[in-house]
Amino acid sequence: MLVFNDAGSLVLLDGSRRPVWSSDMSGGASAVAAQLLESGNLVVRNGSSDAYLWQSFDSLSDTLLPGMKLGKYSWSRTVWKLTSWRSADDPSPGDYSRTLESSDLPELVLWHSGVKTYRTGPWNGRWFNGVPEATTYSDMYSLHVTTTATETSYGYTAVPGARLTRVMVNHTGVAERLVWDSTNGEWTSFFKRPKWDCDDYAKCGAFGLCNDTVALFCGCVPGFSPVFPSAWQSKVYAGGCRRDADRDCGGGTTTDRFRVVSGVKLPDTQNASVDTGVTLEECKARCYANCSCLAYAAAYIQEGGDGTGCIIWADTSLIFVSLTEGRIST
C-alpha cells in the first residue's frame, strides 16, 4: 500500500502496514498530491503547483527509462546511478551498479561490489567510444551527455513512435538495452555488456590489445611484447606488455614516431589530459613535444572527418580493446 504520512512523504507499507520504503521528503507540505506521468515518472506536487517536491526519476533502481539520468548534480549533491536487484525476485539493492564517471570525457562504468568490471569507453560527442552499435538505433533513441559546472549526466530520449525501451542492470551484472517486441509480446536485446571475454576490465593488462575474434585473444599494441610470454600461451595474461625498445627522449621531446591503432576502445581518460578546443594536428604536435606522452587521440568525432579535440595519455597502464565488425554485432 502506498500512502502519504503526516510529513507529506510517500510511504510504502507491507501487508502488516509496516513501512518498507519512504520518499523521505523534508519540510512537509500542506496539500500534497501524487501523479504517475506518461513517462513513468511518479511525482509529488504541493497542491496545484507544477513544481515537484519529489520524483521517482531521482531515485533510480535497476532501470533507466527515457528522460532519466545517470550522473551527478553538484548543486543539490544528487547522484543518479543504477543498482541491480539482489536476485530475480528480490528488489532489494544488489551487488552491481552502473555509474557515469565524470571527467572531461564521461563514460559509463559497471561495478561489482565497488570493483570496476566493464567500461563503455569515453563519450566522443555521438556515442560512447566502445559501443559503436549505438549508431544502429540512434534514429530511434538519441543519446545525450550534459557537462556543465553543476551537472554531468547521461540520458536518452525516444523519438515519437519508437518502440518502448529500457536500460537495466540485472542481478547477474549485465547492463542491457531492451526493446519491446509487440508482435511476440516480449523484450528483445539491442545491447548487452559484458558479453565477450574482452569486455572484462583490464583483461590483457597494460598496453595489451584484446581481440575476441582470435584464439589467444590477448596481444600487445605494436612495439610491445608480453611481460610473461609463456604464461600468455596458457591464457594467463598477467603482467601485460612492455616496450620492445627504450624511448628516444632528449630535451623533453621525442624523435619516436606513433603508430595508428584503429578500431579500438580508447583507454581510461581519468588520468589523461583533455583539451576539446584544439585540432588533431595540434594534438599530435603537443604529444611530440612532450616526452611523457604515450598516446593521443581526437576527443570528438564527426562524420567525414578526423575528429577534433585532444586526449593525451601519459599513464603507463593503457589498455585497449579491439572493436571488430564481428564483435560489435548484436
Side-chain angles (χ1 to χ4, degrees):
M1 181 185 301
L2 192 63
V3 299
F4 282 110
N5 64 15
D6 293 338
S9 292
L10 275 177
V11 180
L12 183 64
L13 305 177
D14 64 13
S16 301
R17 301 188 64 83
R18 292 174 299 193
V20 295
W21 172 86
S22 170
S23 62
D24 194 24
M25 294 182 297
S26 60
S30 57
V32 291
Q35 181 183 5
L36 182 61
L37 305 182
E38 289 291 331
S39 63
N41 192 8
L42 178 63
V43 301
V44 176
R45 292 190 175 97
N46 186 6
S48 59
S49 172
D50 290 333
Y52 300 159
L53 298 174
W54 177 87
Q55 60 174 333
S56 63
F57 275 20
D58 282 338
S59 302
L60 279 60
S61 178
D62 67 338
T63 299
L64 192 75
L65 298 176
M68 287 181 168
K69 299 177 180 180
L70 294 182
K72 299 176 182 179
Y73 185 56
S74 59
W75 187 80
S76 61
R77 297 183 180 179
T78 300
V79 176
W80 303 290
K81 70 175 183 177
L82 295 181
T83 303
S84 69
W85 285 17
R86 177 65 58 183
S87 66
D89 55 3
D90 181 357
S92 62
D95 295 329
Y96 294 94
S97 61
R98 197 185 201 200
T99 63
L100 182 73
E101 292 304 295
S102 54
S103 62
D104 291 308
L105 295 176
E107 67 175 339
L108 295 170
V109 175
L110 189 65
W111 305 85
H112 179 224
S113 300
V115 177
K116 188 181 296 187
T117 60
Y118 167 76
R119 50 181 290 270
T120 59
W123 177 252
N124 64 18
R126 298 172 63 195
W127 61 81
F128 291 102
N129 159 258
V131 193
E133 62 264 48
T135 59
T136 64
Y137 49 78
S138 60
D139 58 331
M140 296 181 291
Y141 313 114
S142 179
L143 309 184
H144 308 281
V145 167
T146 299
T147 304
T148 67
T150 57
E151 178 178 335
T152 303
S153 65
Y154 153 76
Y156 68 95
T157 55
V159 302
R163 289 189 285 170
L164 295 175
T165 186
R166 59 191 174 112
V167 175
M168 67 175 299
V169 175
N170 67 31
H171 67 283
T172 64
V174 173
E176 190 168 19
R177 176 177 290 279
L178 300 170
V179 176
W180 181 248
D181 182 350
S182 57
T183 301
N184 296 316
E186 62 184 15
W187 293 98
T188 59
S189 178
F190 270 39
F191 164 87
K192 181 186 292 186
R193 291 291 192 281
K195 185 177 181 180
W196 293 280
D197 286 318
C198 289
D199 286 329
D200 294 343
Y201 181 69
K203 184 75 173 182
C204 299
F207 296 101
L209 178 59
C210 198
N211 187 341
D212 291 288
T213 64
V214 297
L216 293 174
F217 43 79
C218 276
C220 297
V221 295
F224 290 75
S225 300
V227 174
F228 303 112
S230 59
W232 277 43
Q233 290 299 317
S234 302
K235 293 189 176 183
V236 179
Y237 301 109
C241 304
R242 61 186 171 195
R243 186 182 297 274
D244 293 332
D246 292 336
R247 297 197 66 187
D248 182 9
C249 286
T253 63
T254 179
T255 58
D256 285 346
R257 293 295 177 260
F258 289 88
R259 179 78 65 88
V260 174
V261 184
S262 59
V264 294
K265 177 165 67 176
L266 296 179
D268 279 296
T269 61
Q270 297 294 314
N271 298 318
S273 171
V274 179
D275 186 344
T276 59
V278 300
T279 67
L280 187 57
E281 280 300 312
E282 290 172 316
C283 185
K284 176 181 177 180
R286 288 184 182 183
C287 201
Y288 276 112
N290 181 359
C291 202
S292 63
C293 176
L294 300 176
Y296 70 94
Y300 297 122
I301 65 169
Q302 54 193 6
E303 293 187 41
D306 292 330
T308 61
C310 180
I311 313 172
I312 289 180
W313 287 273
D315 192 337
T316 57
S317 59
L318 302 186
I319 299 163
F320 301 85
V321 176
S322 178
L323 301 174
T324 62
E325 287 297 326
R327 187 182 190 278
I328 67 174
S329 63
T330 57

